[in-house]
Structures are given as C-alpha cells and as structure tokens.
Amino acid sequence: MSASATQYPNYSPGLEGIPAGISSISEIDSDRSSLQYRGYDVHDLAEFGSYEQTAYLLIHKKLPNADELKAFNERLGAERDVPEAVYTALKALPKATHPMDSIRTAYSVLAPFDPDYTAPSTDIAANIRKAERIIAKASTMVGNGHRIRQGLEPIKPDPSHGAAANLLHLITGTDPIPATVKTMDASMTLYAEHGFNASTFACRVTCSTLSDLYSGIVTGIGTLRGPLHGGANEEAMKMILEIGTPENAEAWIRDALATKKKIMGFGHREYKKGDSRAFYMGKVAKELGVEKGNTKYGEIAEILERIMRDEKGIFPNVDFPAAYAYYLLDIPIDLYTPIFVVARVAGYSAHAIEQLENNRLIRPKAIFNGDANLTYVPLSER
Ligand code: CMC
C-alpha cells in the first residue's frame, strides 16, 4: 500500500477505483475483458458494423436502421468540409508542429463557425447537431492538416466517403482500397469510446462548468496527447522500430524490464486480464502483416506479449496492435494519436451531451498537506 493510501484512508491516487459519475454509454467488464457500447459488444460493431453506425449509436443512443444510417451518412458527407479559416490557421503553424497540436488548434478555430455557436450549452438538440459536425470534420482536419504541413494544398473531401475512407484519401491523395478502409474503420470503431478514461473525463469536467461542447473536445484532445494515454500508440511504434527484428525482441524486453522501463502499449488501469480491444486489433494487425508479406512486427509483438504476460502479468492495450497495423498501412507515426482523436470525438461528444443532460459541476476536493498560518513577512524583510 502506498504511503498516501495509509495516510489518507479515503484517498485513491489517480482516482483509481473511484466512481466519478453515472453513465450509460459504455461498460468495461474487467473480469471478462469485454467492452460494450450502449449494450453492444465492440467486437460485433468492429466486425459487422462501421464507425458511422458506432458514432450514431453513441450520439443517438440506438443503432440506426437503414434509412437512419443513410440520412446520417448524408449529413456527415455534407459537413465534411471545413471553413478556409481552419486551413489558414494550420498553415500559420511552425512546420515542426505535432499533428495533435494542429487538430487541437483546428477545433478551436472551428468552434465559432458552428451554426449553433450561440446556442446555450444545455440545448441538447443543438449539441447533437454540433456533435455530428465535430465528428464529420475530424478526418478532414487531420487529413488536410497532414497535407498542409507537407506544403500541399488541402483537397475537397468526397462526401460519399465515410470517416476512414476520407482520412485515408486525404492522407494519401489517392482513393483508398476497401480492405484498407475496413482495417482503419475497425480500429476507429474500437477507439471510439472508453468510459471515464482521462481525456473523456477531462472533457466532462469542462462541460460540467456549462462550457460548450467544442471546449470539451479541445480539453479532451489536450489530455489524450500524453504517452500514458493516446500518445502511447506512437511511442509503441517507435519502440517496435527500435527493437527492429524478432531476433532482438527477447533481449530488448528483458533488458527494458530489468531497467524498469515502461513498455508502451502495455498495461491498463481498467483491464488487468487484457484489453478486449487489443484481442481484436491484434488479430487484424497480424492478418494485415500476412496479407502485406511483412510478419516481422507481428512476430516482435508475440515475443513482447509472451514475456510481459509471463514476467509481469501485463497484457497489451489497444494502442500496441493499432500502432503496427497503422505502420503496415504506411501511415506516418505522428498521425496515430490524431487518428485516435478522429475516432474518439464520438465518445467525447456522447459524454459531453450526457453530462449536460443532467449536469452537476465536477469539483472534487484536495487533501491539503502544505504549510498553514505562516506570518506574512514584508518583501523588504525577506
Ligand atoms: N510497462 C512496464 N510496467 C508496467 C506497465 C508497462 N507498460 N504498466 C504497468 N506496469 C507496472 C507498473 O510499473 C507497476 O509496477 P509496480 O507495482 O512494481 O510499481 C504496476 O504495473 C502497476 O502499474 P500502474 O502504473 O500503477 O498502473 P496504472 O493503472 O496506474 O497504469 C497505465 C496504467 C496505462 C498508465 C500503465 O499501464 C502504463 O503506463 N502503460 C504504458 C502506457 C500505455 O500504453 N498507455 C495506453 C493506455 S490504454 C489506451 C489509451 O488510453 O490510449
């Protein structure tokens, strides 16, 4: 038991295990290593559904029927494009700007252009319309943001594309093949929502002050950026590349563990028997390796997974297989966390709306352990 836990019996560092709200959006079952969005297993949504069906489910609280999905896709298609001001702002950023900073900035610029900008934050119908625009434009801003930093002009999104196809189209400048779109779509479905993770919780805290949905999204993106959270997928790929070959993997990981290194893409606060999303994404990533004639990363992954399980009882999280799947799809490494954003804005929006439907300011207390009652000494006497 940590010192703080002994000293302060009602305190849990990092709020571990502390319920911080009630939500009907997703359920993580740590014992069964399962994840459901509004009652549906994420594996079924990734295998048989689509990111758009998932986003609809999260925002509209039910799976769409065929007509509802068609209308939803049409609304998203019509909203994919973004105001020129977003591109102007992205063009003004230094070349070395990380794409997570670009997408966070893009949402800040976008907010006042939303036709519902002046609607009160508690107007749920306006929030749903905003959520659809936020979801529609994410892939355009990440894809065209990537073009801009390469000195290329943004291209018009094709309104018939879903989010995964739009993203791939803008990143590569070519029409993506259906198998690649399916892999990206499945990863985005798995990334779309995950309960009270740090960034979603941060988004809810922002909205609980009756601030607006866009501010919640910007807060969420800033929180997702760190390597203990969304940034882990980029760090995991850098680690796999540093390992280089399956032959190096065992010695590398044993040395890393001996020197108490954090292994990126492993471990999870909620899943102690394995991250349900990693099982599915691992299968997709390994199949992709076979299809591409490059099984090296899958082999490195298997060695790391075995040793982490046997030595530490720690399993990969979704960021680990997503990282080498994206690498096999030739996606630049610093776009991995922004892709997470493109998916997760659906979860952020659903949580922001849920928070605002039944709001109470989120304001926990601190256990004070600093000095008290000191005598003020005038500046000239210190
Ligand atoms: N590599 C090595 N040791 C680890 C790891 C890891 N990835 N994860 C946990 N441990 C050890 C940790 O050192 C600690 O050992 P000890 O008790 O001897 O000090 C023990 O396991 C418990 O770890 P913890 O850090 O207290 O667990 P937590 O619930 O606070 O942390 C975590 C969860 C995700 C922050 C942590 O597992 C981690 O830092 N993982 C690497 C970063 C990562 O992959 N993050 C992505 C999270 S999931 C998807 C997402 O949100 O993006």
Side-chain angles (χ1 to χ4, degrees):
M1 189 181 275
S2 69
S4 41
T6 333
Q7 225 175 332
Y8 309 112
N10 295 323
Y11 167 53
S12 175
L15 299 184
E16 180 166 359
I18 304 290
I22 296 174
S23 176
S24 60
I25 301 172
S26 66
E27 188 192 17
I28 299 170
D29 185 332
S30 314
D31 289 330
R32 289 175 48 236
S33 287
S34 83
L35 171 62
Q36 300 189 352
Y37 297 160
R38 299 204 187 274
Y40 295 97
D41 194 294
V42 285
H43 292 192
D44 289 339
L45 294 167
E47 183 79 22
F48 309 116
S50 64
Y51 175 72
E52 274 68 30
Q53 291 188 49
T54 301
Y56 187 100
L57 172 69
L58 293 170
I59 301 302
H60 294 280
K61 307 182 182 176
K62 66 184 270 290
L63 274 176
N65 62 29
D67 288 344
E68 287 163 337
L69 182 61
K70 184 168 174 288
F72 184 59
N73 282 334
E74 282 168 4
R75 289 201 298 280
L76 295 181
E79 286 288 351
R80 289 253 185 256
D81 216 349
V82 300
E84 194 54 36
V86 171
Y87 297 142
T88 306
L90 295 184
K91 284 176 187 170
L93 296 175
K95 276 257 168 306
T97 303
H98 190 284
M100 278 300 276
D101 294 330
S102 305
I103 183 66
R104 194 192 61 230
T105 303
Y107 273 113
S108 287
V109 176
L110 187 61
F113 289 93
D114 192 296
D116 287 300
Y117 179 56
T118 54
S121 57
T122 47
D123 181 338
I124 298 303
N127 284 338
I128 291 173
R129 291 193 295 273
K130 283 184 187 173
E132 291 193 354
R133 295 182 194 114
I134 283 167
I135 293 166
K137 294 179 192 323
S139 50
T140 305
M141 296 195 297
V142 169
N144 273 334
H146 178 58
R147 296 182 65 78
I148 287 169
R149 71 180 169 145
Q150 296 174 96
L152 301 170
E153 275 305 307
I155 46 184
K156 282 258 173 238
D158 176 341
S160 72
H161 280 159
N166 185 44
L167 181 68
L168 290 163
H169 174 216
L170 301 185
I171 290 174
T172 62
T174 57
D175 240 1
I177 57 167
T180 307
V181 174
K182 175 66 195 158
T183 304
M184 180 56 72
D185 187 274
S187 78
M188 286 173 49
T189 300
L190 299 175
Y191 266 144
E193 152 62 10
H194 209 215
F196 276 22
N197 57 85
S199 57
T200 301
F201 188 61
C203 168
R204 286 188 77 127
V205 171
T206 295
C207 292
S208 85
T209 68
L210 299 185
S211 184
D212 70 302
L213 190 48
Y214 282 87
S215 297
I217 298 289
V218 171
T219 306
I221 295 171
T223 311
L224 187 71
R225 192 189 195 294
L228 296 187
H229 192 5
N233 55 14
E234 297 180 16
E235 297 307 315
M237 194 62 225
K238 290 180 201 159
M239 174 186 79
I240 293 172
L241 291 177
E242 187 188 322
I243 294 170
T245 63
E247 293 69 37
N248 285 346
E250 176 150 3
W252 192 96
I253 186 85
R254 289 198 187 282
D255 179 65
L257 290 178
T259 53
K260 301 239 172 283
K261 267 199 194 132
K262 266 267 162 94
I263 312 302
M264 289 299 161
F266 280 82
H268 202 279
R269 174 66 63 80
E270 289 288 310
Y271 300 108
K272 298 305 176 193
K273 298 179 184 165
D275 176 341
S276 81
R277 304 164 301 171
F279 299 133
Y280 187 90
M281 199 61 217
K283 188 171 140 289
V284 169
K286 284 183 185 117
E287 285 168 4
L288 186 64
V290 173
E291 208 178 284
K292 298 256 171 193
N294 182 353
T295 54
K296 181 165 85 169
Y297 305 117
E299 288 165 36
I300 293 175
E302 272 170 16
I303 296 166
L304 266 49
E305 285 165 12
R306 172 173 54 79
I307 293 171
M308 284 298 280
R309 184 192 59 226
D310 294 350
E311 299 294 319
K312 302 278 292 180
I314 294 176
F315 297 84
N317 57 59
V318 66
D319 287 328
F320 187 62
Y324 66 92
Y326 293 158
Y327 196 79
L328 288 165
L329 294 179
D330 292 325
I331 311 262
I333 294 175
D334 61 4
L335 291 184
Y336 296 1
T337 319
I339 293 172
F340 194 156
V341 172
V342 173
R344 186 56 65 85
V345 289
Y348 292 159
S349 300
H351 276 274
I353 291 167
E354 185 177 71
Q355 179 67 35
L356 289 162
E357 276 172 344
N358 188 17
N359 189 52
R360 182 157 163 83
L361 176 71
I362 299 173
R363 206 300 184 193
K365 67 192 270 119
I367 299 167
F368 180 70
N369 75 344
D371 293 332
N373 303 324
L374 301 180
T375 303
Y376 181 80
V377 181
L379 186 59
S380 59
E381 292 170 30
R382 275 179 252 151

